[in-house]
Amino acid sequence: MKLFGVLGDPVSHSLSPIMHNAAFKALGMDCEYHAFRVSPESLHDAIHGAHALGFGGLNLTIPLKEKALEIVEPTDMAKQIGAVNTVDFKVGIVGYNTDGLGAKMALKDNGVEIKGKNVLLLGAGGAARAIAFQLVSDGASVTIANRTPGRAISLAKEVSRMGKASAGDIRNLKNLIQNSDILINSTSIGMFPKVSESIVTSDMIHRNLVVFDIVYNPQNTQLLREAKKAGAKTIDGVMMLVYQGAEAFKIWTGQNPPLDVMEKAVREKLA
Ligand SMILES: NC(=O)c1ccc[n+]([C@@H]2O[C@H](COP(=O)([O-])OP(=O)(O)OC[C@H]3O[C@@H](n4cnc5c(N)ncnc54)[C@H](OP(=O)(O)O)[C@@H]3O)[C@@H](O)[C@H]2O)c1
């Protein structure tokens, strides 16, 4: 039997074990995926221990994604993003970041074209970094707005080396949204337990906007409710979670996992 795991602290809330175990079961693979609580101080030993024990692969979550860069050999994309969420042991210990691909695939899955589009990205944390680098490399023009403006400015500067990126003033949200095709919330606003929070209201949203909230707990966030009220197309955070997991699954096993099985497992748990 092959073991896989997610390391983090806290980690008991992670949906990755349910999602990956459902995929392994559906494919009849002799594999199990578990959550392990690991502190940043123990991360080096945990990753090397999993390698020595013959694990098939790992995911990393808060607060370990940045620390892992010093421990694994990161891909160029993981290095640029500054965080690792997937570790593979086939050839050495390689660190990937599949969050940006997860967001890209969630948009594609909903028939949303990225190339040439104006994207307003709210947030400048770990997830926002992954999404910004990915979408700019796919030809979008990305405006980043964040509560702490300095973080948006420095992220925009880094990302603009790869394509079109700039920082926007979050106090000027309505204007920024008017000039956008796609709005992505990559802040934690609206996440459980503060489920009634949104800094974007329906009066700021136009009907041609695509509103993608990467927060997946709850699935129907206040932002998505505001967007629906305005008649805009909405995408919730579940498919990004599924696609980033599916990318990790492919890296580890070389197999395409059943996306519908993974999505069902996640949605049932969140319902
Ligand atoms: N669907 C998926 O697959 C997926 C993947 C990754 C993350 N997520 C979700 O994405 C969210 C962000 O994750 P992360 O890892 O990027 O977190 P993070 O690194 O801690 O970044 C949090 C971001 O949210 C902003 N923020 C937090 N509270 C705010 C508030 N009250 N008002 C305005 N801005 C606020 C922060 O702004 P400052 O810079 O000013 O602090 C920062 O930009 C979480 O809800 C997470 O669950 C979903």
Side-chain angles (χ1 to χ4, degrees):
M1 195 233 295
K2 204 78 176 160
L3 276 177
F4 296 80
V6 55
L7 315 183
D9 187 12
V11 74
S12 58
H13 65 285
S14 172
L15 296 167
S16 293
I18 282 171
M19 184 168 76
H20 285 288
N21 283 326
F24 289 138
K25 193 172 167 200
L27 293 176
M29 294 169 74
D30 187 18
C31 301
E32 274 187 24
Y33 187 113
H34 295 276
F36 300 90
R37 190 169 165 207
V38 171
S39 67
E41 297 71 41
S42 305
L43 184 61
H44 181 276
D45 289 352
I47 290 176
H48 282 270
H51 185 215
L53 289 168
F55 270 53
L58 294 173
N59 284 130
L60 304 176
T61 187
I62 286 170
L64 308 176
K65 291 183 182 185
E66 291 82 15
K67 172 92 182 165
L69 280 176
E70 308 157 11
I71 300 165
V72 304
E73 193 188 313
T75 61
D76 287 346
M77 187 56 128
K79 215 185 289 177
Q80 264 165 347
I81 294 167
V84 168
N85 77 338
T86 299
V87 179
D88 185 55
F89 297 120
K90 276 195 291 298
V91 184
I93 303 181
V94 180
Y96 296 80
N97 193 308
T98 65
D99 277 337
L101 265 180
K104 168 191 175 160
M105 294 307 294
L107 286 165
K108 279 188 76 175
D109 191 46
N110 280 276
V112 179
E113 180 67 47
I114 294 167
K115 195 167 183 210
K117 293 294 165 66
N118 290 324
V119 176
L120 176 60
L121 183 63
L122 302 180
R129 289 186 63 84
I131 294 170
F133 279 107
Q134 183 68 52
L135 297 192
V136 159
S137 71
D138 288 322
S141 171
V142 178
T143 303
I144 303 161
N146 190 48
R147 175 178 61 182
T148 309
R151 292 185 81 194
I153 293 166
S154 70
L155 176 56
K157 206 167 149 195
E158 281 180 63
V159 177
S160 63
R161 285 188 220 120
M162 279 182 70
K164 291 184 188 162
S166 61
D169 187 342
I170 203 161
R171 292 168 302 182
N172 199 12
L173 263 184
K174 192 164 182 174
N175 276 346
L176 292 175
I177 292 171
Q178 288 314 313
N179 296 319
S180 303
D181 305 302
I182 304 171
L183 167 70
I184 304 179
N185 175 44
S186 60
T187 75
S188 41
I189 298 170
M191 189 171 83
F192 180 84
K194 296 182 178 171
V195 297
S196 59
E197 287 185 356
S198 173
I199 52 171
V200 177
T201 47
S202 60
D203 57 302
M204 301 176 180
I205 298 172
H206 58 87
R207 291 181 69 87
N208 296 326
L209 191 70
V210 173
V211 179
F212 175 21
D213 197 342
I214 75 160
V215 170
Y216 53 80
N217 185 15
Q219 297 176 69
N220 191 20
T221 59
Q222 183 62 33
L223 169 61
L224 295 184
R225 283 200 290 270
E226 297 288 339
K228 282 171 198 156
K229 208 188 292 176
K233 182 182 178 74
T234 60
I235 303 172
D236 71 26
V238 168
M239 284 318 284
M240 173 174 166
L241 182 72
V242 169
Y243 276 116
Q244 65 75 32
E247 284 303 316
F249 193 101
K250 277 188 241 174
I251 290 167
W252 298 326
T253 68
Q255 297 209 44
N256 284 317
L259 295 167
D260 52 341
V261 169
M262 294 167 85
E263 180 183 0
K264 185 165 175 274
V266 171
R267 291 204 189 275
E268 275 176 8
K269 182 68 183 174
L270 288 170

